Amino acid sequence: VYLEPGEKMSVSELLKCLVVVSANDASVALAEHIYGSEDSFILAMNERAAQLGMKNTNYVNTTGLDADGHYSSALDVALVTRELLKHPTILEYTTIWMDTIRNGAFGLANTNKLIRFYSGATGLKTGFTSGAGYCLSASAMRDGMELIAVVMGAETSQSRNAACKSLLDYGFANFAVVSPDLSD
C-alpha cells in the first residue's frame, strides 16, 4: 500500500491491507511494531508453526515472497488457516470485498475473488510468487459446516480460484455435519 517512512496507520488498517490486498509493507510494519523487528517476528512465526504441527514450513520473511529456505505445504497452509478461523475477528478482514484506507484516498479490492462470487465464502488468503505460482487458501461455510480448500502452484489466478471452488463444491456436496445419537 506504499507506506511512507514515518506514516502512521492503525493496526486495524494494516491488517486490512495485509489480508485484503496482500500488502507486503503492511506485514513488515506489523512485524516490527509487535516484535521490534522482522527477524524476531519470523522466529515467533516458526515457533507457532511448530506448535500447530506444521512440519513442512519454514519462514524466512513475513511477506511470503520467494527466498532460499522459505517454504510451506498445502497441509500446513490448511493448518494455519484452521487456526486463524478460530478467531472470528479474522472474518472482519477476510470477507471484505472492497474498502479504502487513508480516508478514502486509496482503494482496496480483495484478491480473493471467491469472496464475492462463491456462496458462503469466508476467506481466506491468496498469494502469488514466480516460485510458488498462484496460491489460495479458501474457506467457506454453509449449513453449519466450514471447509478449507488449499491450492498451490496454479498457473493463473482463474485456475487457482476454479480449483478451490471445485474442492469446496465437492466437500459441500458429499459431506454433512451430523450429531451422533448418544442415547443408545
Side-chain angles (χ1 to χ4, degrees):
V1 292
Y2 309 103
L3 291 174
E4 294 290 332
E7 181 178 3
K8 296 199 184 295
M9 191 175 282
S10 70
V11 169
S12 179
E13 282 201 323
L14 287 170
L15 284 170
K16 181 173 27 175
C17 295
L18 174 64
V19 174
V20 175
V21 296
S22 299
N24 294 328
D25 50 359
S27 73
V28 173
L30 284 165
E32 291 173 346
H33 175 71
I34 296 167
Y35 278 84
S37 71
E38 186 178 16
D39 288 339
S40 294
F41 189 74
I42 292 163
L43 288 173
M45 288 171 61
N46 284 311
E47 288 173 13
R48 187 65 177 133
Q51 292 168 359
L52 294 173
M54 297 168 61
K55 296 178 181 174
N56 295 297
T57 294
N58 186 64
Y59 299 114
V60 299
N61 61 51
T62 63
T63 63
L65 295 175
D66 294 333
D68 288 340
H70 189 93
Y71 57 86
S72 194
S73 69
L75 173 59
D76 286 0
V77 171
L79 291 173
V80 75
T81 298
R82 181 179 66 185
E83 182 63 23
L84 283 166
L85 290 170
K86 291 178 183 178
H87 307 278
T89 302
I90 193 67
L91 299 179
E92 294 175 21
Y93 301 102
T94 61
T95 57
I96 292 171
W97 173 239
M98 297 186 85
D99 207 333
T100 62
I101 56 171
R102 299 185 181 110
N103 297 315
F106 191 91
L108 305 173
N110 201 322
T111 54
N112 179 2
K113 303 309 178 202
L114 297 184
I115 290 301
R116 182 159 183 207
F117 300 109
Y118 189 81
S119 175
T122 57
L124 195 87
K125 189 73 190 76
T126 65
F128 170 80
T129 67
S130 57
Y134 289 88
C135 304
L136 173 58
S137 178
S139 59
M141 182 175 289
R142 292 184 189 163
D143 300 322
M145 182 168 62
E146 187 168 41
L147 298 178
I148 297 167
V150 177
V151 170
M152 302 171 78
E155 290 188 24
T156 67
S157 61
Q158 293 82 4
S159 62
R160 159 191 80 189
N161 296 346
C164 277
K165 181 183 177 299
S166 292
L167 289 167
L168 292 169
D169 284 347
Y170 181 87
F172 287 122
N174 292 284
F175 297 93
V177 175
V178 296
S179 297
D181 183 4
L182 301 176
S183 63
D184 292 335

